[in-house]
């Protein structure tokens, strides 16, 4: 379940920031890059901050 939530949040952040970059300001693309960099980092290190947060909230695997 945590894996699905992490993917949902990451995908939502990317789509929302892309829409904000189109309709508000292009600097929102930095947020898109931040999310992408965190996804890349978590695939290499096998550690994800969102996973840790969800574990503390009591979400099961």
């Amino acid at each position: 379940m945590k894996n699905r939530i992490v993917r949902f949040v990451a995908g939502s952040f990317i789509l929302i920031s892309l829409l904000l970059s189109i309709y508000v300001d292009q600097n929102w693309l930095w947020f898109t890059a931040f999310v992408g960099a965190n996804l890349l980092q978590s695939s290499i290190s096998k550690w994800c901050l969102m996973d840790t947060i969800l574990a503390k909230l009591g979400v099961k695997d």
Side-chain angles (χ1 to χ4, degrees):
M1 187 69 173
K2 277 195 292 187
N3 198 12
R4 292 181 69 190
I5 294 172
V6 169
R7 290 178 187 202
F8 176 81
V9 170
S12 298
F13 280 174
I14 289 172
L15 291 175
I16 290 168
S17 65
L18 285 174
L19 288 173
L20 287 169
S21 72
I22 292 169
Y23 294 111
V24 178
D25 187 10
Q26 281 189 330
N27 282 324
W28 281 102
L29 290 174
W30 288 107
F31 186 67
T32 307
F34 174 75
V35 174
N38 278 307
L39 288 170
L40 182 64
Q41 172 270 322
S42 69
S43 72
I44 294 169
S45 68
K46 297 183 181 169
W47 179 81
C48 177
L49 178 61
M50 178 61 91
D51 193 46
T52 305
I53 293 169
L54 290 172
K56 288 187 179 188
L57 290 174
V59 178
K60 304 281 188 218
D61 274 335

